[in-house]
Amino acid sequence: MVEEIKKNLYEIASKIEGLYGITFTDRDGVPLLKVTSESAPEPAIKPNFISTFCLAIDQGSKLGLGKTNTLICTYSQYQIVQMNKHPLVVTFVANQQCNLGQILALEAQIDPIASSLALTVTEI
Amino acid sequence: MENNLDRVMEEICLDPAVLGCLFADQQGLCIGSKGQASNETSGYITAIANQVAKLEPNSKMPVVTLENENQICMIQKADTITGAIYKKL
């Protein structure tokens, strides 16, 4: 099943120019599923970077705008999109020219994968 | 800030044949939409415009027309902005 999901994610990722990888992690940044190319920057897929997102969304919820769904960070060379799929976090790593709108539109395709992985996390 | 864009979109939608319009930035993020155009399609619209532009890199930006049995969608990129207009057939 994991191989099938990985294959599916590879197909999704290859359709977007400049997308280096998609990772599914838990809230501590522990990777559950990782589909990355060699060009993906190492620090962006490390647990300490991903777990910072959880801290950020906790702070974001204090702004009074409701639950944080997505966080987009734009750096000089890379763009990181993180989606809150409680209890999971989905991280997309892309280059500076990548089409963010296309990444955000992937949410509907990512949802079924996230919900099936979420079941395994809650079981553990 | 977006008053000018809102005004342009209103003018476009005054045409009875127009169902909706959408504008996206270089990164595929929606900067404005009106009518039947969905915000979520902004990424795909920008991607289509960018891919088609690669066919003739030395000519000016093409207008892409997608047509189905009852409506057409016209897409064109100008500088960093991509626009899409949905029309009835």
Side-chain angles (χ1 to χ4, degrees):
Chain A
M1 182 195 158
V2 176
E3 283 308 310
E4 243 173 69
I5 294 175
K6 270 196 171 183
K7 202 178 142 200
N8 193 5
L9 280 176
Y10 265 120
E11 272 171 28
I12 292 171
S14 61
K15 281 179 191 157
I16 301 180
E17 211 179 312
L19 179 60
Y20 292 142
I22 308 171
T23 48
F24 288 78
T25 59
D26 70 358
R27 293 177 72 82
D28 298 318
V30 178
L32 297 167
L33 196 66
K34 202 194 282 187
V35 174
T36 51
S37 75
E38 284 170 9
S39 328
E42 196 62 29
I45 41 179
K46 278 192 173 164
N48 56 0
F49 178 88
I50 293 166
S51 61
T52 312
F53 169 72
C54 301
L55 296 174
I57 58 170
D58 289 340
Q59 295 300 321
S61 60
K62 291 178 190 167
L63 294 171
L65 297 168
K67 194 185 108 184
T68 308
N69 287 327
T70 314
L71 183 88
I72 301 170
C73 300
T74 308
Y75 301 95
S76 57
Q77 290 176 57
Y78 299 103
Q79 299 184 99
I80 314 286
V81 180
Q82 289 179 300
M83 290 176 186
N84 181 16
K85 299 279 166 209
H86 189 79
L88 302 181
V89 175
V90 188
T91 308
F92 298 83
V93 184
N95 68 12
Q96 181 57 37
Q97 283 80 40
C98 186
N99 187 330
L100 282 181
Q102 240 182 324
I103 295 179
L104 295 176
L106 284 183
E107 195 168 4
Q109 292 177 61
I110 292 295
D111 272 341
I113 301 173
S115 50
S116 64
L117 284 173
L119 284 176
T120 57
V121 172
T122 45
E123 275 170 20
I124 293 165
Chain B
M1 194 176 78
E2 59 272 19
N3 284 352
N4 286 343
L5 181 65
D6 279 340
R7 205 175 55 243
V8 170
M9 288 195 298
E10 266 166 35
E11 274 173 31
I12 292 169
C13 290
L14 281 179
D15 187 325
V18 171
L19 297 167
C21 61
L22 181 146
F23 291 89
D25 69 4
Q26 210 169 10
Q27 254 134 2
L29 300 172
C30 182
I31 50 176
S33 72
K34 212 167 180 64
Q36 281 185 24
S38 163
N39 292 348
E40 285 160 19
T41 57
S42 62
Y44 295 117
I45 282 167
T46 311
I48 290 170
N50 286 334
Q51 291 295 333
V52 175
K54 287 178 190 166
L55 290 174
E56 299 266 358
N58 299 321
S59 54
K60 64 175 197 174
M61 279 295 175
V63 178
V64 188
T65 307
L66 305 166
E67 184 178 327
N68 71 8
E69 55 196 17
N70 49 25
Q71 66 177 36
I72 59 169
C73 171
M74 292 187 298
I75 301 168
Q76 192 180 24
K77 191 178 174 186
D79 290 330
T80 57
I81 306 288
T82 308
I85 298 178
Y86 295 79
K87 284 181 89 173
K88 274 188 284 197
L89 265 183

